Amino acid sequence: DAGVIQSPRHEVTEMGQEVTLRCKPISGHDYLFWYRQTMMRGLELLIYFNNNVPIDDSGMPEDRFSAKMPNASFSTLKIQPSEPRDSAVYFCAARTGAAEAFFGQGTRLTVV
Amino acid sequence: AQSVTQPDIHITVSEGASLELRCNYSYGATPYLFWYVQSPGQGLQLLLKYFSGDTLVQGIKGFEAEFKRSQSSFNLRKPSVHWSDAAEYFCAVGHQAGTALIFGKGTTLSVSS
């Protein structure tokens, strides 16, 4: 398995534009997590899914953020409209049972 | 509330010297504990984990960690640091299957020659 795959690796967009980040989790891992990493706040959990169903989205900062998992192989995190303070590295991670979480390489988002 | 504290933001160690990175957690039940390493521009890689049993756990790259329930600590150690160990290290805590891991703010390790 290639591990958790995220795309794009880098995204630069203008304020007000819609941004979509993508994640392909590891096959058979039934939990999927979206984290955001910034210097100031470290790694923050945004939302997580179990068997494609959102379980906890209390970390989503605002209504501008939304996430979907239409099937076991794909998830998206969308920001609309984007703002400069959304600039961060966004990680997707997969987990099964009580095992460790496996992380993707991340998407570095810059909103100018 | 669940939380993880890594008291040291930045540590510099000479190559060949020993290393200890501190981690304290606050958790209402028996924790599952993890250490991850992140190199610049990369994702997080698991170094080691503790679920139960022997409180001294061995990981990859020569790292080990010791769980001390009385001190709510899970410190990471390495007897001899290599220049390639320079990276950011994260301690994390989780519980039952499927819950999200809670991460500390991380400790940046620099290695001097």
Side-chain angles (χ1 to χ4, degrees), chain A residues 32 34 46-49 54 57 60 65-70 75-79:
Chain A
L32 183 138
W34 282 100
L46 298 178
I47 184 171
Y48 76 95
F49 297 83
D57 65 354
M60 297 285 262
F65 286 70
S66 62
K68 293 182 180 180
M69 192 166 185
S75 177
T76 59
L77 178 68
K78 184 179 294 186
I79 308 173

Side-chain angles (χ1 to χ4, degrees), chain B:
Chain B
Q2 307 157 13
S3 66
V4 176
T5 301
Q6 294 181 246
D8 304 305
I9 296 173
H10 191 189
I11 285 182
T12 299
V13 174
S14 298
E15 190 168 16
S18 63
L19 169 70
E20 182 169 28
L21 301 183
R22 296 182 290 165
C23 172
N24 293 96
Y25 65 89
S26 173
Y27 208 79
T30 301
Y32 293 173
L33 294 158
F34 307 83
W35 275 100
Y36 284 83
V37 62
Q38 183 182 29
S39 297
Q42 301 298 312
L44 279 72
Q45 179 187 19
L46 181 73
L47 284 176
L48 47 78
K49 60 189 177 186
Y50 171 78
F51 289 169
S52 64
D54 192 346
T55 56
L56 184 64
V57 293
Q58 303 296 320
I60 63 172
K61 304 184 181 186
F63 286 92
E64 66 178 27
E66 186 171 13
F67 171 58
K68 293 185 177 180
R69 184 186 301 276
S70 62
Q71 298 178 19
S72 297
S73 69
F74 188 56
N75 294 348
L76 182 71
R77 300 193 295 247
K78 187 170 185 179
S80 178
V81 168
H82 188 261
W83 64 267
S84 61
D85 293 324
E88 189 157 18
Y89 292 80
F90 293 91
C91 181
V93 64
H95 178 41
Q96 60 201 26
T99 56
L101 301 186
I102 306 300
F103 285 84
K105 291 290 182 68
T107 297
T108 300
L109 173 65
S110 297
V111 180
S112 61
S113 56

Side-chain angles (χ1 to χ4, degrees), chain A residues 26-88:
Chain A
I26 299 172
S27 176
H29 285 59
D30 51 351
Y31 285 85
L32 183 138
F33 307 89
W34 282 100
Y35 287 88
R36 178 172 67 176
Q37 184 179 35
T38 61
M39 289 290 291
M40 291 298 296
R41 302 173 70 90
L43 272 163
E44 303 174 276
L45 175 69
L46 298 178
I47 184 171
Y48 76 95
F49 297 83
N50 174 219
N51 291 323
N52 315 334
V53 176
I55 302 300
D56 183 355
D57 65 354
S58 60
M60 297 285 262
E62 300 172 32
D63 291 344
R64 299 184 295 106
F65 286 70
S66 62
K68 293 182 180 180
M69 192 166 185
N71 57 62
S73 303
F74 186 64
S75 177
T76 59
L77 178 68
K78 184 179 294 186
I79 308 173
Q80 166 64 20
S82 58
E83 296 182 4
R85 59 193 168 122
D86 302 330
S87 297

Side-chain angles (χ1 to χ4, degrees), chain A residues 7 11 19 21-22 26 45 52 56 67 69 78 81 103 112:
Chain A
S7 63
E11 177 81 38
V19 176
L21 312 182
R22 297 172 175 78
I26 299 172
L45 175 69
N52 315 334
D56 183 355
M69 192 166 185
K78 184 179 294 186
F103 281 75
V112 298

